[in-house]
Amino acid sequence: QVAWEVDEGLVDRKTLHAKAAIAKLAASEASGRVIDRCLQIFGGRGYDRSYPVERLYRELRVDRIWEGTSEIQRLIIAGELVKRGTGVLQMPAAVGGAESR
Ligand SMILES: Cc1cc2nc3c(=O)[nH]c(=O)nc-3n(C[C@H](O)[C@H](O)[C@H](O)COP(=O)(O)OP(=O)(O)OC[C@H]3O[C@@H](n4cnc5c(N)ncnc54)[C@H](O)[C@@H]3O)c2cc1C
């Protein structure tokens, strides 16, 4: 959705920045929760380096750090909400409906 909004130029650059921060924050936090549960399901094997779950756990953990930590994404989103209101939460639709995309 955000990539499409960038392409269409429907939303100003700062709001798009905050929308991208929402996408990055949501995806990296969700994937962290999912892989944590996966590791728990696998028990000790999930923590064992010879199983791929351990590698995925380690690799997904960095997504909350690099390309902007989760705290910095939250600061970007909060700043946008304070300065320009809740427009960042709205999702413009394509003219003619979603099927025209
Ligand atoms: C494997 C790996 C590869 C990387 N590759 C690259 C790369 O190719 N190019 C590149 O440019 N960088 C790269 N980085 C750096 C990465 O972008 C930084 O680690 C990231 O921006 C966080 O900065 P920092 O590590 O200095 O943490 P810090 O800025 O020291 O932050 C430490 C902690 O404090 C929190 N914090 C900081 N400021 C605030 C604040 N104002 N309010 C609330 N909390 C705050 C952070 O969220 C974090 O939890 C890489 C990092 C890793 C781990």
Side-chain angles (χ1 to χ4, degrees):
Q1 172 74 29
V2 178
W4 174 78
E5 288 179 34
V6 170
D7 285 347
E8 296 297 310
L10 295 176
V11 185
D12 77 88
R13 192 175 54 84
K14 288 186 175 171
T15 301
L16 285 172
H17 183 214
K19 280 175 175 254
I22 291 173
K24 199 272 184 180
L25 176 67
S28 53
E29 292 283 334
S31 63
R33 286 195 297 275
V34 168
I35 196 60
D36 186 72
R37 288 180 194 173
C38 289
L39 194 150
Q40 193 69 22
I41 289 165
F42 276 75
R45 289 180 188 85
Y47 192 70
D48 186 325
R49 282 201 165 180
S50 61
Y51 285 80
V53 171
E54 184 276 341
R55 183 176 56 79
L56 285 169
Y57 184 86
R58 198 158 25 88
E59 288 187 356
L60 285 170
R61 185 61 184 87
V62 80
D63 285 347
R64 285 189 272 157
I65 296 170
W66 63 9
E67 296 290 338
T69 64
S70 290
E71 289 75 23
I72 297 304
Q73 306 298 343
R74 289 188 179 98
L75 282 177
I76 292 166
I77 298 160
E80 172 69 17
L81 286 167
V82 168
K83 287 177 195 154
R84 281 173 284 279
T86 55
V88 66
L89 303 174
Q90 288 160 12
M91 294 197 293
V95 176
E99 61 280 357
S100 69
R101 288 184 204 175

